[in-house]
Every structure is written in structure tokens, then in C-alpha cells.
Amino acid sequence: MNPWSSLKGLPREIWVLCATTLTNRVGTMVLPFLVLYLTRALGLSPGRAGFVVTVYGLVAMVTGPLAGRLSDRVGALRVMKTSLLLSGLVLIAFPLARSYGAVLLAAAVLALVNEAYRPAGLSTLTALTAPHQRRPAFALNRLAVNLGMSVGPAAGGILAGISFTALFWVDGITSFLAAAVLILSPWRSAAGRPAPSLRPGQEVARTRHPLRDGRYLLFLAAFLPSLLVFFQLESTYPLHLVGVLGLPPAAFGFLLTLNTALILLFEVPLNAAMAAWPYNRALPAGALLCAAGFGSTALATGPLTAAAGVALWTFGEMILLPGTSACAADMAPESRRGEYMGLYVMTFSLALATAPWAGAVVLERLGPGVLWSAAAGLGLLSAVLLAFLRFGRPLANGGQAPE
């Protein structure tokens, strides 16, 4: 059986959505180089530049739930189009901010409009797919993200050496192009419209606010430790490679390329093969592989052993991230789908805002052995919690039925 055959039955709108995401991600250049721009072009200190990124992350945390709620009210498709168009405008105008206060305001506005796309996109993807299609569909969406990110930052590095202003312009223009893909493509599905009103007799438990859904909150809490481990990629992992193992900075780029290559080759077939696995079996497997991969960093002695660890956590990532997206989608009632996915996105923002700083503190004060042992422990904790959560009975064709 062709391992990619699971994509054949996906609605055409899923491919439009992934093409939009790919176009947008190909132009993702500003955020990876924002600190470099602020320190070199504007002359800000590293501390002040880092605080700008913190402001972006804090606003992104708030934006997820707000954009999700807005998607339920006015339609996810409308939110995505607006997000892309406004992001393009803000990115092009960003270099006009020269004072520190103006830069902070520009970063906050960029986070507000830019981060609104993701919960709306996840909500739309959920509405377009049946439960048994969701893991392959989310894997395809991640394929578009990773393929775009393999191009965008690399091209951004070249542009940054020529003109930082060009970096903002290209990122903004690709946001406009992504919006054009979404606007000009025929959209036959009802997905993306406002969520239907609650029908008489519909179960209250199915329409409660996500903050009042204890099972959903437990799921997010169980997933969070793995995210804290995964986002060590933003700080301590490259610091360990260069500072502890003595590898050149280019080695980190090579390992990220290995990560992307494995995702492009295996993520869709892997999720198709595991589509019928219940969540309390698949998600712990992904968390365990992440724990083993990052934990093994303490034992790495060179590029080959580091690459083996990358392969381990990459396979964990390929199972865990599409799986948790599909799980969140399956747990979300139709009338509050955007709110549920917004809270799911907020969990990522929370981890991104805290994990790099916390990991750097542990590395500096307690050393790499404690850091990577703690990472393995957090991943193991996540696996245990996910294994004991009750997600519902598995469907015959994949997915998960509510309990």
C-alpha cells in the first residue's frame, strides 16, 4: 500500500490551506532575525532586544484564544484572510519604528495580527476533515510548515546580509501572496463560516467553554511538559552543541536540516500508518521518543551521536505534534472549535515564552547533566500523563469517539 495514499481522500480545500501555509512560511524571515535586526540596525542592547521578543510572545499567548473565539463568531476563513493581509501591512511598515517604544508597539501589533492565523487555520482544517483523516491532514499541514521554514530563514540570512529592510518587505509580500492564494481559490466547503448556533437538546458538556472542560485542560497540562522540552531548541540545545561539545555553529544548522529532511520524508506516511492508534497509545510513544532524544544530548560526544539524538526526537515530534492537534480537534465541540484550538495554540506560546529562559537558567547554574536529565524526566512525565488520560474509544477507521 502506498504510504501517501491517505492524502488522496482529503478535500481540495485542505490542499488550498496547505498551499497558503507554505506560501506564508516561505517568507518567514523577520522573526528568526528580529534580535539581530534590533541589535545591529537599531543599536539596541541584547537585553532590550530580547524583551521585544518577550513582548511578542506574551501578546501571542493572548491572541490564540481571542482569534479562536473570533473564528467561531465571524468565521475562521475570514480571520485567516484578515490576518495575512494585516500582517503584510505591519511587516512592511515595521522598519519605520525607530524608537524603542515604537518598536515594542510594532512587535505587539505584529503578534496580534500574525498569530491570529494559526488557531483559525487549525479550526478550518478540523472542520474540513472526518476524524480518521485528521492525523494525516495535520501531518500534511506540518509538512507545508517545515518545507516553507526550510526556505524562508535560509533566504532571510542572505537578505539580512544585504538589507534588513528587504527582509521585512519580502516577508510582507509573501503574506500578501498567501492571502491571494486563499482569496482567489474557490472555497466550496462550509468550513470557515461562523460556527452554527447551539441546537436545542445538544449536550451541555459538548458546548462548554474550554476553560471549563476539565478533560481538555488535563490534556493540555499533560502535553505541556513535552513542549517545555521541545522548545529547548530555541536556547539550550544550540548552546550545548557549541559551548559543551565544541561543535561549530554550522553543526546546529546541519542537525536542523536533518530534522526537516526526516519530517519531509516520513511524517505523512508515519501518521497514516498510525491513524488507527488510540491517543493514549500514540501520544505517549511520541512523548517518550522526545524524552529519549533530548535526554540523550547529555551523552552526545560529537556530531554523529548528536544526530542520533535528533533522529529520536524528530520521530517523537512527528507522532506527538500532529497527534495532539488531531486530539484537540476531536475534543472540540463544533460550536466552540475555534476557542478550543485557540487554547491549544496558547499552550505552545506559553512554552515558547518560558522554556528557553528556564532551560538557560538551569544550564548556567546546574550544568548540562541536570538540564538534559530534567528534560528526559519532563518528557517521561508527559508520556505517563497522556497514557492515563481517557480520550474515548478508537474508531474503526481511525480517530477517536467521545466517551
Side-chain angles (χ1 to χ4, degrees), residues 40-223:
R40 292 195 176 182
L42 298 188
L44 297 180
S45 67
R48 299 188 93 190
F51 184 68
V52 173
V53 178
T54 298
V55 168
Y56 183 98
L58 292 174
V59 176
M61 285 177 57
V62 179
T63 299
L66 289 179
R69 183 176 179 84
L70 192 62
S71 297
D72 289 335
R73 299 299 182 268
V74 305
L77 192 58
R78 186 176 297 174
V79 171
M80 286 189 292
K81 293 175 183 177
T82 304
S83 169
L84 291 169
L85 290 172
L86 291 180
S87 294
L89 290 174
V90 174
L91 284 164
I92 289 174
F94 199 108
L96 298 177
R98 308 300 295 179
S99 70
Y100 189 55
V103 168
L104 289 173
L105 179 60
V109 174
L110 180 60
L112 186 65
V113 296
N114 190 45
E115 297 298 327
Y117 178 86
R118 191 176 177 195
L122 294 176
S123 177
T124 302
L125 192 149
T126 302
L128 289 168
T129 51
H132 71 280
Q133 296 176 309
R134 283 176 185 155
R135 275 184 251 190
F138 280 113
L140 178 64
N141 186 63
R142 273 181 39 83
L143 183 69
V145 170
N146 281 280
L147 187 59
M149 291 297 289
S150 69
V151 176
I158 297 172
L159 282 175
I162 302 171
S163 167
F164 279 112
T165 301
L167 208 67
F168 287 91
W169 274 83
V170 172
D171 202 335
I173 289 170
T174 53
S175 290
F176 290 140
L177 291 175
V181 172
L182 205 57
I183 292 169
L184 298 178
S185 299
W187 202 267
R188 299 170 299 180
S189 171
R193 296 178 186 170
S197 300
L198 183 62
R199 296 188 296 273
Q202 208 170 7
E203 299 175 16
V204 175
R206 294 283 291 166
T207 57
R208 67 179 59 165
H209 192 278
L211 290 176
R212 297 178 181 176
D213 187 338
R215 189 176 62 151
Y216 189 67
L217 294 178
L218 285 174
F219 157 65
L220 295 181
F223 176 42

Side-chain angles (χ1 to χ4, degrees), residues 297-312:
T297 305
L299 305 176
T301 57
L304 291 181
T305 49
V310 168
L312 275 176

